Amino acid sequence: QLVAFEVKRMRAEEGNKQKILRHIKELAEKLYKNENPYPAVTMHKVQKPTEGCHLRLHQKPFPRLDEGTVQWIIDQATAKLQTAPPAVKAEKKCMVPSGPPIAAILERNGNALANSARRLEVVRNCISYVFENKMLEAKKLFPAVLRAMKGRAARHCLTQELNLHVQQNRAVLDHQQFDFVIRMMNCCLQDCTAMDEHGIAAALLPLVTAFCRKLSPGITQFAYSCVQEHV
């Protein structure tokens, strides 16, 4: 129903916090009533007698109850309960119109998708600059790449791009390239969640055993020695 009827209203409210909060409150009340259709039965409180009331002289004795009258009241109530409709409401089914086309709603997400595409482009460009030894350009993009690593798509993109360079036999790096790649891998693993363990972290495993640098003749340092502390 929200999608069908409220899109215009929601668009009109954008930027007005008070209207949005009022709308949310209305929704919350509807949802609450839907979950709790029957109001709680109010209990009648019997007042306690005041202190010292038993010392009063005009105390009236409690009247004798007529057994027949009490039984008649009970019978009346029992008969009402038997003829009463069941407490649970019959569920009403209704057709909700499809509302505006999905494209109308996706328009608002267009910017987010464009931003995501730009982030991936930044990651690809930065990695290209690193492997082409254009370190000045890579440095300019580097902060944006580290920020992009918050998103899973960018982390996935990093593993794909690095994998392409391994396949091109470009795994032996110089010191500066090695430093850039390690920092990207560390940032990627740092932002990984448990959901990424068998995806992104697993994709990085073969890469950290491939990328390396020559420290001196006969001594090679592999990337895993710098990223192995991650859970």
Side-chain angles (χ1 to χ4, degrees), residues 2-35:
L2 271 180
V3 172
F5 303 125
E6 306 286 332
V7 172
K8 281 183 185 173
R9 177 179 169 178
M10 285 160 91
R11 278 191 179 163
E13 284 174 357
E14 274 179 8
N16 188 329
K17 283 188 180 178
Q18 286 180 327
K19 281 186 179 178
I20 291 169
L21 283 172
R22 192 166 70 237
H23 193 186
I24 290 170
K25 205 171 182 183
E26 285 170 19
L27 277 176
E29 280 172 12
K30 280 182 191 173
L31 289 168
Y32 183 79
K33 281 176 185 171
N34 187 55
E35 295 296 317

Side-chain angles (χ1 to χ4, degrees), residues 20-88:
I20 291 169
L21 283 172
R22 192 166 70 237
H23 193 186
I24 290 170
K25 205 171 182 183
E26 285 170 19
L27 277 176
E29 280 172 12
K30 280 182 191 173
L31 289 168
Y32 183 79
K33 281 176 185 171
N34 187 55
E35 295 296 317
N36 307 278
Y38 307 109
V41 179
T42 51
M43 301 297 289
H44 294 290
K45 288 185 178 178
V46 179
Q47 288 185 334
K48 286 184 178 180
T50 55
E51 284 181 28
C53 66
H54 60 285
L55 300 173
R56 289 182 193 152
L57 296 172
H58 57 274
Q59 192 87 358
K60 287 183 180 179
F62 192 81
R64 282 187 69 79
L65 297 176
D66 177 33
E67 196 178 333
T69 309
V70 171
Q71 191 57 51
W72 179 78
I73 292 168
I74 292 170
D75 292 344
Q76 289 277 90
T78 310
K80 267 186 187 174
L81 281 175
Q82 284 170 350
T83 57
V88 180

Side-chain angles (χ1 to χ4, degrees), residues 25-231:
K25 205 171 182 183
E26 285 170 19
L27 277 176
E29 280 172 12
K30 280 182 191 173
L31 289 168
Y32 183 79
K33 281 176 185 171
N34 187 55
E35 295 296 317
N36 307 278
Y38 307 109
V41 179
T42 51
M43 301 297 289
H44 294 290
K45 288 185 178 178
V46 179
Q47 288 185 334
K48 286 184 178 180
T50 55
E51 284 181 28
C53 66
H54 60 285
L55 300 173
R56 289 182 193 152
L57 296 172
H58 57 274
Q59 192 87 358
K60 287 183 180 179
F62 192 81
R64 282 187 69 79
L65 297 176
D66 177 33
E67 196 178 333
T69 309
V70 171
Q71 191 57 51
W72 179 78
I73 292 168
I74 292 170
D75 292 344
Q76 289 277 90
T78 310
K80 267 186 187 174
L81 281 175
Q82 284 170 350
T83 57
V88 180
K89 285 181 183 174
E91 194 176 308
K92 285 182 184 175
K93 292 182 179 176
C94 63
M95 286 295 291
V96 176
S98 59
I102 296 293
I105 296 161
L106 287 179
E107 275 173 23
R108 300 168 69 199
N109 298 335
N111 289 342
L113 291 171
N115 284 343
S116 180
R118 276 200 295 273
R119 283 195 197 112
L120 299 189
E121 195 58 36
V122 165
V123 173
R124 288 192 191 99
N125 288 344
C126 186
I127 293 170
S128 296
Y129 291 147
V130 168
F131 283 91
E132 289 163 14
N133 258 322
K134 295 178 180 174
M135 292 307 172
L136 200 62
E137 282 87 346
K139 271 183 185 172
K140 285 177 191 170
L141 293 182
F142 205 64
V145 170
L146 298 188
R147 280 197 301 275
M149 287 299 136
K150 299 279 179 202
R152 182 178 295 168
R155 297 198 290 269
H156 188 61
C157 175
L158 176 77
T159 60
Q160 286 180 319
E161 289 297 307
L162 291 177
N163 192 42
L164 287 174
H165 289 288
V166 169
Q167 288 170 2
Q168 294 166 10
N169 291 327
R170 297 169 80 181
V172 181
L173 310 172
D174 67 26
H175 295 304
Q176 220 174 353
Q177 288 173 324
F178 188 80
D179 183 50
F180 269 97
V181 170
I182 291 299
R183 284 169 71 188
M184 283 191 273
M185 284 178 168
N186 268 322
C187 190
C188 177
L189 286 168
Q190 182 184 316
D191 289 316
C192 277
T193 62
M195 290 165 72
D196 297 320
E197 189 177 332
H198 304 293
I200 290 154
L204 275 176
L205 272 177
L207 300 175
V208 295
T209 57
F211 285 108
C212 61
R213 64 174 166 179
K214 301 279 184 205
L215 292 179
S216 64
I219 297 175
T220 305
Q221 182 187 16
F222 284 90
Y224 67 79
S225 63
C226 303
V227 300
Q228 59 194 8
E229 298 301 318
H230 293 277
V231 180

